[in-house]
């Protein structure tokens, strides 16, 4: 037997093992080289990043101001009760401290945006890598940014996707995490983020989309709002309800996965129906003219900071009264519009037959002709004298028949002019009647104004400057100088009381004639509104019936210059009421606000109060900047004697009891109502000015460019119903109030007299020299040169 040593192993066998060992060594060396290269690459990358950060860090913006976060906050205007009635500024925002943000809102945001927000140091490194790969591969980002990174980007950087911007974002994130607490960062995010519909921050979004306070939102609503940061337009529940709903459901699932809600809460949230505000709902309280007035006052004081420093302006306006005034004035104007000739559709479009093209066409047209409150736009699909079929937004088909077609009968006639005729493709206006049926109407050309104030202190309670602010921003309450007509007569009567004329003075309602020698121009023969003359009557009856001849004779007795001086006591401008006899018929110029302030003198016992609107201005933190205290009536504010105001109240009460405004007491069923109608020549202006001891209100209706309202249109028929509708609501639960009898007056034979005139010492009769025959004109002799009359238009009651 032969024994072989190890060295005696065959060479062929030894050579067979060498390639295997070589392959292992080669793989090991390759791994070492690869690891070294990767390490070198990483080190190089880190070195480059370090160099980039070292270069970029000094160029980072100063973020110390975020420690005292003060975003751009809009000017916000509130009613006396705290209801928001106006907002001005590019960014609609309600700064809300993190402690006041409900947990459900925070949980919804964290669930979808950054579930580990309170655990990480500001940067999600896995997310950064994913975002880098997405950007490199030009695919859509998966949303790796943490909340801190989003704050850095939203406050200081742009949204471009570059590595340079990402480096700056990371550096800013580190600075933010070092400078601020997590709660501070979250507070900035929750208030700064844009969420669509001009809303910045979740408090503003809760109001914009749901019309409620952030503290009152539900899980379902919070989830809907939390979906907005990713794409405010795409996930807007008003514009894209389907996509918004899909996003909401996903967020509810994320809240469940992260343990923020239970399975039962998640299921309930998914089933909860949401009431999202429509565009028309966003209007809220219609106080646009009030808000604009406040804006102008604030801008005059604060300049451009008005729109960014978060001023909160509290007004004296009562929300319920403002809403009533807005609706009453619009209803009054629309009732007048029903009596006018139909002017035709607003525009005509050619409707395609293809369904999709038809829908697109209708959507576009209705966007160009948006609804005006309850006066809504529609496109006619079919039209005949007995039925009109039209389509509104959201494919709502409406049918108008019967009485709903009466206002536009002329437009349904086959003989109607092309621009008048209602036919397929016509854009029309419709409104719903109290019976919930449809009626075709038109946007009015006539305008109006309404203002109400407390005569005891001058605080404005309601102000509507026109039919619609978007249609016409001209504030007719404060800017429209119009002739007041017979609503001005009480101020002439007030002057007469100081000249010895009493409510019992007999005045001849007979014709007057002023020849050319008297007028210095054309002869003037004024008329009463009804063209009739009733002969001798008391001063009381003359005002109640608004007799022009009576007023002229009273002014003759007072003297035009004396009367001009007297009316300035009520706040009127002397130069706008020339000292001519036509002043007796309201030929001067006034604004509705002036009239309200002037009638307040009668209402409060003779004191002049200046209208005021702003009660308090605060900053974003609630610090009071300015505050107005309601003035207390004092003798320094006295305009007329208390007894003058008392007797005038008695005369104005007669107007609402048996005169041209008798429907006021008849409708409201209370005696403490006072006022006067006014209609100018050819019915160009229709007024009613009146009061109850706690509330003075004035209504005006007319065209911006004066023209006839119509032969039968009067202040009693047009403006008084608006006033009555407002007072019906405003005086609910207000007890009847009768003024106390002041010193210096006495009642004799059922009539009120100044003490010195009670025994018949006053003027007993005026204008009786032409005899008792009311049809005989009294020719007025030529006056002195400085008393010559200027002929203006004749005025009615």
């Amino acid at each position: 037997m032969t024994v072989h040593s190890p060295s005696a192993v065959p060479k062929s066998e030894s050579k067979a093992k060498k390639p295997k060992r070589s392959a292992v060594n080669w793989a090991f060396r390759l791994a070492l080289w690869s690891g070294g290269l990767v390490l070198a690459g990483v080190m190089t990358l880190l070195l480059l990043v370090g160099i980039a950060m070292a270069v970029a860090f000094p160029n980072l913006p100063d973020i110390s101001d975020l420690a005292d976060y003060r975003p751009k906050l809009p000017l916000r205007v509130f009613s006396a009760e705290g209801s928001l009635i106006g907002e001005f500024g590019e960014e609609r925002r309600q700064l809300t401290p993190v402690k006041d943000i409900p947990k459900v809102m925070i949980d919804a945001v964290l669930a979808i945006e950054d579930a580990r927000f309170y655990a990480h140091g500001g940067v999600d490194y896995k997310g950064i890598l994913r975002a880098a790969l997405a950007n490199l591969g030009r695919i859509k980002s998966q949303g790796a940014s943490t909340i801190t990174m989003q704050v850095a980007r939203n406050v200081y950087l742009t949204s471009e996707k570059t590595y340079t911007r990402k480096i700056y974002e990371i550096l800013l994130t580190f600075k933010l995490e070092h400078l601020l607490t997590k709660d501070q960062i979250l507070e900035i995010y929750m208030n700064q983020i844009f969420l669509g519909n001009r809303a910045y921050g979740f408090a503003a979004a809760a109001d914009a989309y749901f019309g409620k306070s952030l503290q009152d939102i539900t899980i379902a609503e919070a989830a809907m709002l939390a979906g907005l940061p990713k794409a405010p337009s795409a996930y807007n529940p008003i514009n894209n309800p389907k996509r918004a709903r899909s996003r909401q459901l996903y967020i509810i699932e994320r809240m469940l996965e992260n343990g923020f809600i239970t399975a039962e809460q998640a299921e309930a949230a998914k089933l909860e129906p949401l009431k999202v505000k429509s565009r028309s709902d966003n209007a809220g309280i219609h106080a646009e003219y009030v808000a604009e007035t406040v804006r102008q006052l604030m801008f005059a004081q604060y300049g451009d900071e008005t729109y960014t420093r978060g001023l909160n302006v509290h007004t004296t306006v009562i929300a319920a009264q403002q809403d009533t005034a807005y609706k009453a004035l619009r209803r009054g104007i629309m009732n007048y519009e029903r009596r006018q000739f139909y002017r035709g559709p607003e525009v005509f479009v050619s409707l395609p037959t293809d369904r999709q093209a038809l829908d697109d066409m209708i959507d576009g047209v209705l966007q160009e002709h948006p609804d005006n409150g309850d006066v809504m736009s529609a496109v006619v699909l079919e039209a005949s004298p007995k039925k009109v079929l039209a389509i509104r937004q959201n494919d709502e088909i409406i049918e108008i028949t019967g009485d709903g077609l009466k206002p536009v009968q002329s437009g349904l006639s086959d003989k109607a002019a092309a621009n008048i005729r209602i036919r397929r493709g016509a854009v029309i206006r419709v409104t719903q009647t109290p019976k919930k049926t449809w009626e075709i109407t038109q946007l009015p050309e006539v305008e109006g104004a309404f203002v109400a104030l407390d005569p005891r202190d001058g605080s404005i309670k309601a102000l509507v400057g026109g039919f619609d602010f978007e249609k016409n921003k001209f504030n007719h309450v404060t800017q429209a100088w119009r002739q007041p007509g017979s609503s001005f007569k009480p101020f002439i009567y007030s002057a007469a009381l100081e000249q010895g004329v009493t409510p019992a003075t007999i005045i001849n309602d007979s014709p007057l004639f002023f020849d050319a020698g008297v007028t210095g121009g054309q002869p003037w023969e004024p008329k009463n509104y009804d063209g009739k003359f009733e002969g001798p009557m008391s001063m009381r009856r003359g005002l109640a019936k608004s007799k022009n001849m009576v007023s002229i004779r009273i002014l003759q007795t007072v003297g035009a210059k004396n009367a001009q001086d007297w009316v300035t006591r009520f706040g009127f401008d002397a130069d706008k009421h020339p000292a001519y006899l036509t002043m007796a018929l309201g030929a001067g110029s006034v604004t509705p606000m002036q009239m309200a302030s002037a009638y307040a003198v009668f209402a409060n016992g003779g004191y002049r109060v200046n209208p005021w609107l702003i009660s308090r201005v605060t900053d974003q933190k609630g610090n009071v900047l300015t505050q107005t205290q309601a003035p207390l009536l004092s003798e320094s504010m006295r305009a007329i004697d208390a007894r003058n105001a008392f007797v005038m109240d008695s005369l104005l009460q007669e107007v609402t009891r048996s005169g041209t405004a008798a429907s006021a007491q008849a409708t409201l069923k209370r005696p403490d109502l006072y006022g006067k109608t006014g209609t100018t020549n050819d019915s160009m202006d229709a007024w009613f000015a009146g009061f109850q001891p706690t509330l003075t209100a004035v209504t005006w209706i007319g065209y911006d460019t004066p023209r006839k309202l119509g032969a039968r249109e009067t202040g009693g028929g047009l403006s008084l119903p608006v006033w009555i509708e407002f007072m019906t609501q405003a005086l609910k639960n207000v007890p009847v109030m009768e003024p106390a009898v002041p010193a210096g007056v006495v009642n004799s034979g059922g009539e009120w007299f100044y003490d010195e005139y009670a025994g018949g010492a006053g003027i007993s009769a005026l204008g009786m020299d032409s005899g008792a025959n009311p049809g005989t004109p009294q020719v007025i002799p030529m006056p002195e040169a400085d008393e010559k009359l200027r002929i203006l238009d004749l005025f009615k009651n």
Side-chain angles (χ1 to χ4, degrees), residues 13 16 74 130 164 242-243 268 355 384 551 683 708 766:
E13 188 175 331
R130 183 169 65 250
T164 301
K242 291 183 179 179
R243 296 186 68 178
R355 181 64 190 181
S384 71
S551 296
S683 299
K708 297 179 180 179
L766 295 175

Side-chain angles (χ1 to χ4, degrees), residues 97-220:
V98 68
K99 63 182 178 61
D100 295 331
I101 300 175
K103 185 175 183 298
V104 65
M105 188 71 254
I106 292 176
D107 289 345
V109 170
L110 295 181
I112 190 62
E113 294 294 332
D114 193 353
R116 296 181 58 252
F117 172 70
Y118 281 99
H120 62 62
V123 176
D124 181 351
Y125 296 102
K126 292 182 179 179
I128 291 293
L129 179 61
R130 183 169 65 250
L133 293 174
N135 196 37
L136 183 65
R138 298 183 183 278
I139 62 174
K140 187 177 179 181
S141 171
Q142 300 302 306
S145 295
T146 64
I147 283 178
T148 311
M149 294 169 72
Q150 291 184 57
V151 169
R153 179 171 65 247
N154 291 333
V155 176
Y156 292 108
L157 303 174
T158 66
S159 59
E160 63 175 339
K161 294 183 178 180
T162 64
Y163 290 113
T164 301
R165 199 272 298 157
K166 201 68 178 178
I167 290 173
Y168 275 97
E169 183 179 306
I170 294 171
L171 291 176
L172 280 173
T173 297
F174 288 147
K175 289 190 72 172
L176 287 172
E177 289 278 345
H178 175 72
L179 178 67
L180 306 176
T181 67
K182 285 288 188 178
D183 281 349
Q184 285 178 306
I185 294 171
L186 185 61
E187 180 176 305
I188 294 170
Y189 177 83
M190 300 294 283
N191 284 281
Q192 183 71 21
I193 192 74
F194 176 63
L195 299 172
N197 207 23
R198 285 185 54 236
Y200 287 77
F202 287 93
D207 178 65
Y209 293 109
F210 299 116
K212 61 186 349 184
S213 168
L214 184 61
Q215 282 70 26
D216 298 329
I217 62 169
T218 64
I219 294 174

